[in-house]
Amino acid sequence: MTQNRRTAVVTGGIGGIGTVICQRLAKDGHQVVATYHPSEEDKLGEWSKAQEALGLEIGLIGGDVSSAEDGARMMSEVEQRFGPVDILVNCAGITRDGTMKRMVAKQWDAVIQTNLNSVFYITKPVWEGMLERGYGRIINISSLNGQRGQFGQANYSAAKAGMHGFTMALAQEGAAKGITVNTVSPGYVKTAMTDAIREDIREAIVGGIPMRRMALPEEIASAVAFLAGDDQAYITGANIPINGGLFMH
């Protein structure tokens, strides 16, 4: 596939899935910028060395995606340093699990702000530029649990379902202007986080997946790269499930 070199931003770009998305977009020839939370600064040196060892040059910019003000500041800095954003992958996310009986407002607010409000805060600063240039690819990383819900994750499930509502609405606003907006909804993905799950619980999870395995981060990144391509100009408002058949809708 031949395509132009684009500037791509991946929020939460130094996380398990975010890192692999950054790597794939960089390998596809794009100029890639990974965003990170200021609390993650101690990880940057090792992370950058790992990318350099792969022959990849990926920019880094810190900011709090859950803040409208800092999100706008961060995206302004991205465009000053790297140029207009053509591809935006909203991947940043957290969990603060608890049943409704035990969940407190602080847990609810943290997840909604980081996982859902951030999609508006980060997309808004680059949207007008995309409209003016007549080009844009926005990909929102949601979740299987935004489609089916999950016990103990009312906050997370609500935020991830909201992401796709945002996708569908914005897709209509950008359709005539050359901008596509799509959602990718992974199921269980093999990362350091899922590797840390107790073995018997992990085996039970995998046993419930028709493909009998978790997704590889590279499989999520492949879908993102597909949607980010110049020639994917007619797919918009879609939700691509990557869950091994665990949930079919």
Side-chain angles (χ1 to χ4, degrees):
M1 180 173 66
T2 302
Q3 61 183 16
N4 296 317
R5 176 178 168 85
R6 304 287 186 181
T7 297
V9 174
V10 181
T11 69
I14 71 170
I17 295 174
T19 294
V20 180
I21 291 173
C22 286
Q23 292 170 345
R24 173 58 190 268
L25 293 175
K27 288 173 183 175
D28 283 354
H30 299 303
Q31 176 177 246
V32 181
V33 182
T35 82
Y36 62 91
H37 192 272
S39 65
E40 299 175 302
E41 283 190 358
D42 60 329
K43 302 176 182 177
L44 299 184
E46 184 179 346
W47 189 88
S48 292
K49 286 179 183 177
Q51 310 322 308
E52 290 166 7
L54 296 172
L56 303 175
E57 187 176 338
I58 298 172
L60 285 163
I61 290 188
D64 182 358
V65 299
S66 71
S67 161
E69 295 75 17
D70 204 39
R73 187 273 312 159
M74 181 174 69
M75 297 311 289
S76 175
E77 186 178 336
V78 167
E79 296 208 313
Q80 288 171 18
R81 286 177 54 186
F82 299 97
V85 174
D86 303 302
I87 300 165
L88 174 61
V89 183
N90 285 302
C91 187
I94 62 171
T95 56
R96 297 289 185 272
D97 295 352
T99 62
M100 180 60 72
K101 183 176 179 179
R102 298 185 182 279
M103 186 175 292
V104 296
K106 187 175 180 180
Q107 290 171 288
W108 175 271
D109 291 344
V111 170
I112 296 297
Q113 287 165 2
T114 301
N115 296 16
L116 180 57
N117 291 354
S118 67
V119 181
F120 172 76
Y121 296 155
I122 299 304
T123 304
K124 174 70 173 175
V126 302
W127 181 251
E128 191 169 338
M130 289 181 174
L131 290 174
E132 290 173 353
R133 295 189 303 277
Y135 184 90
R137 298 285 183 269
I138 297 171
I139 300 139
N140 298 318
I141 308 300
S142 181
S143 168
L144 160 74
N145 293 340
Q147 296 179 287
R148 67 170 190 173
Q150 176 63 37
F151 183 95
Q153 283 196 330
N155 50 3
Y156 185 83
S157 298
K160 291 300 187 178
M163 287 178 79
H164 187 55
F166 178 90
T167 288
M168 292 187 290
L170 202 61
Q172 295 182 53
E173 294 187 28
K177 299 291 186 178
I179 304 168
T180 66
V181 189
N182 291 291
T183 300
V184 171
S185 291
Y188 290 98
V189 182
K190 183 175 171 54
T191 63
M193 187 181 296
T194 54
D195 284 345
I197 296 172
R198 206 174 71 200
E199 186 176 358
D200 60 327
I201 297 173
R202 192 170 65 248
E203 287 177 355
I205 290 169
V206 170
I209 301 171
M211 285 193 174
R212 296 296 188 267
R213 67 175 179 86
M214 293 188 184
L216 299 176
E218 290 79 6
E219 291 171 312
I220 312 306
S222 177
V224 171
F226 170 75
L227 293 170
D230 283 358
D231 50 358
Q232 300 310 325
Y234 207 64
I235 300 175
T236 197
N239 189 1
I240 310 292
I242 308 177
N243 61 46
L246 182 56
F247 179 77
M248 303 182 190
H249 179 65

